Amino acid sequence: MSVLPDRDALKAAAEAGDPAVWERRALLLIALVNLDVIREFFPAGVGDRVMEECARRLKDQARFGDIVARAGGDQFAVLLIDLPESDSGLARANELFRALRTIRVGDVVMPIDARCGLARGRPFLLPSDLRFDELYERAERALTRARAFGTAVAVED
């Protein structure tokens, strides 16, 4: 798979820079919920190629400064940077979600069933080393809701 930062590298990048702009960031977690089915019914390596193509598409769709990372297993994380104050990140989340709808592997076009959890950064009184963890937990809660209710994107306030 193409090399993407892991969660630790994403955390380090998220916490770098000016803490005054924390509320202009958002974290999007994306889970490929049908990856196990793809791995079960298609030849070995197809699931890895699907993950590689998803990583490539997310990187291609990311805006300057956004960071795409592997969150582990069937998940990716995208740290959205420098969002306008009035932007929750939902439009960007939907753009990234749409980029993953179908993946071609060889002659087969596969529908990708993804779910996304989005959490917007907020001003904090917490120490800077806890900000990312809190944001990540909120994005995970949103992703859990998206999976449970079958919605494309869920947002955690």
Side-chain angles (χ1 to χ4, degrees):
M1 175 173 308
S2 60
V3 177
L4 290 177
D6 63 8
R7 181 179 169 169
D8 292 336
L10 183 65
K11 179 179 180 173
E15 292 176 347
D18 183 1
V21 298
W22 189 256
E23 64 270 12
R24 292 177 34 208
R25 297 178 180 174
L27 182 64
L28 177 65
L29 294 181
I30 303 167
L32 307 182
V33 296
N34 65 334
L35 188 64
D36 288 341
V37 173
I38 290 169
R39 287 193 164 131
E40 183 177 339
F41 290 102
F42 288 93
V46 171
D48 291 339
R49 294 201 324 245
V50 167
M51 289 294 287
E52 288 171 3
E53 180 61 17
C54 287
R56 186 193 65 76
R57 288 184 186 191
L58 290 171
K59 285 172 38 179
D60 288 350
Q61 291 291 318
R63 292 187 179 162
F64 179 77
D66 291 351
I67 301 166
V68 178
R70 274 300 296 278
D74 64 354
Q75 294 183 11
F76 294 96
V78 182
L79 183 65
L80 305 174
I81 303 291
D82 202 26
L83 292 171
E85 226 175 275
S86 61
D87 184 357
S88 68
L90 188 56
R92 290 290 301 130
N94 280 308
E95 287 173 22
L96 293 165
F97 173 78
R98 283 192 301 274
L100 303 179
R101 285 217 169 131
T102 59
I103 302 286
R104 177 181 292 278
V105 176
D107 294 333
V108 180
V109 176
M110 293 177 215
I112 301 301
D113 188 12
R115 298 289 180 264
C116 304
L118 177 68
R120 174 79 190 239
R122 50 187 170 192
F124 277 96
L125 299 175
L126 294 174
S128 63
D129 62 337
L130 296 178
R131 292 178 184 170
F132 179 79
D133 295 332
E134 192 273 344
L135 182 65
Y136 200 95
E137 287 171 10
R138 289 191 299 117
E140 281 183 321
R141 284 195 302 268
L143 179 58
T144 298
R145 275 200 326 279
R147 285 179 181 235
F149 296 112
T151 58
V153 181
V155 180
E156 176 79 15
D157 292 326

